[in-house]
Amino acid sequence: MKKLLLLICAFSICGTAWADPPLKIIPLHHRLAQDVLPSVQPLVGEGGTASAIGNNLLVRTSPERMAAIEQAIALLDIERKTLRITVSRNRTDQSDSREIGVSGSVRRGNAVVQAPDRYGRTAPGVVVELGQRDSNASERASEFVSVLEGERAVIGVRQSVPFTATWVVLTQRYAGVQQTVQFHDVTTGFAVRPRPVGDELELEIAPRVANLSGGVIEFQELATTVRVRPGQWFDLGGTMQSRDEVSREIFSGNATSARSASQLWIRVE
């Protein structure tokens, strides 16, 4: 009887061990395990697990699913290229002014009224001078930033921007941020994440603000995705301003007058 109980217990222990899927440690060579983990977790199936430790993935699942996961990892764990993003900024300001001047000398009885012109001269009679001045100014600048495929690059637009009540409302409405006491003067811009898709590049673009101490608010709810050819110029400023009010607020401070225009283009290659 004692031997029978021992035999039943042994089979029970072995049955439990056999029911658990095998655990496999999969080392990665080009990607961080934490970055690949979200793509692997949906593949483990019911009863399976996946976790990341250092540069290794720890996967427990059935042999069939393990084979599919290893194929997926082979596609994900590839060496990423460094992309160069060129940023071109262009701002134009137009202004005009009209001047009206009256000078001369008028006698009324024994009284004489004189109004010298801008050169100090006084001519008899009344002289009316009309003038108009037009000016155009433009400013261009370019820079570049390097970023790995799939990582974010920050494209700044304005620095030391007062964190006004408008920004408080926008961050609450679109980013769900309630505590903005630490935001006083901020840097505004966009986060751009380029990914290769076949012969094209997919750009994920989201507005962002950051304070001087490193706090960042990204408006992922307003993120937009576009596809461009490598080396193709893309009108980031015009596209984003036409899509959401946060982007319009970012560019609104770049205009120095009602007849100012600010452009922001990027090229990824």
Side-chain angles (χ1 to χ4, degrees):
M1 185 66 180
K2 187 176 182 180
K3 289 183 179 180
L4 181 60
L5 291 173
L6 290 173
L7 187 59
I8 292 174
C9 289
F11 274 109
S12 298
I13 295 172
C14 292
T16 302
W18 290 334
D20 290 337
L23 175 67
K24 187 168 185 177
I25 300 176
I26 305 175
L28 301 181
H29 304 287
H30 303 291
R31 301 288 300 275
L32 295 175
Q34 197 64 40
D35 294 340
V36 177
L37 183 62
S39 300
V40 172
Q41 285 176 325
L43 304 177
V44 299
E46 187 177 356
T49 61
S51 57
I53 297 181
N55 228 33
N56 299 301
L57 284 173
L58 280 64
V59 181
R60 187 187 298 275
T61 188
S62 65
E64 296 78 12
R65 288 185 175 272
M66 186 70 74
I69 289 173
E70 289 179 328
Q71 291 179 2
I73 291 175
L75 297 175
L76 295 171
D77 187 27
I78 58 176
E79 186 174 1
R80 292 184 292 174
K81 296 180 180 178
T82 299
L83 300 174
R84 177 186 173 110
I85 302 178
T86 304
V87 182
S88 177
R89 310 171 192 271
N90 185 24
R91 190 177 72 191
T92 58
D93 294 296
Q94 296 179 338
S95 63
D96 57 66
S97 61
R98 293 180 175 84
E99 297 177 351
I100 300 177
V102 178
S103 62
S105 174
V106 178
R107 177 183 292 275
R108 289 290 183 181
N110 294 326
V112 178
V113 178
Q114 294 182 333
D117 61 15
R118 56 183 173 177
Y119 301 107
R121 300 173 301 189
T122 303
V126 177
V127 179
V128 178
E129 295 180 303
L130 300 177
Q132 180 170 335
R133 180 180 302 172
D134 298 322
S135 64
N136 295 286
S138 63
E139 180 181 345
R140 286 187 178 182
S142 62
E143 60 194 65
F144 74 90
V145 59
S146 297
V147 63
L148 287 174
E149 294 175 346
E151 299 296 331
R152 284 189 180 93
V154 176
I155 309 298
V157 176
R158 299 172 60 204
Q159 294 183 347
S160 298
V161 179
F163 200 75
T164 60
T166 300
W167 276 114
V168 173
V169 172
L170 292 175
T171 53
Q172 291 177 351
R173 180 181 302 166
Y174 295 108
V177 177
Q178 302 299 325
Q179 299 296 329
T180 55
V181 178
Q182 73 276 21
F183 285 83
H184 300 289
D185 289 340
V186 297
T187 299
T188 62
F190 298 88
V192 179
R193 186 202 299 267
R195 301 186 187 94
V197 180
D199 295 333
E200 296 181 316
L201 290 169
E202 182 181 86
L203 307 181
E204 180 189 277
I205 307 168
R208 76 192 295 274
V209 297
N211 64 10
L212 299 179
S213 60
V216 177
I217 299 175
E218 287 196 3
F219 297 85
Q220 283 300 319
E221 180 182 330
L222 302 177
T224 186
T225 302
V226 298
R227 288 193 179 184
V228 297
R229 304 283 298 180
Q232 173 188 344
W233 283 104
F234 170 69
D235 184 5
L236 186 150
T239 300
M240 296 303 293
Q241 287 187 83
S242 66
R243 295 191 180 220
D244 64 83
E245 58 180 322
V246 174
S247 297
R248 287 191 288 273
E249 182 65 22
I250 287 176
F251 282 98
S252 66
N254 264 13
T256 57
S257 69
R259 299 176 63 185
S260 295
S262 181
Q263 296 178 322
L264 180 64
W265 293 72
I266 62 172
R267 181 179 64 191
V268 186
E269 52 192 347

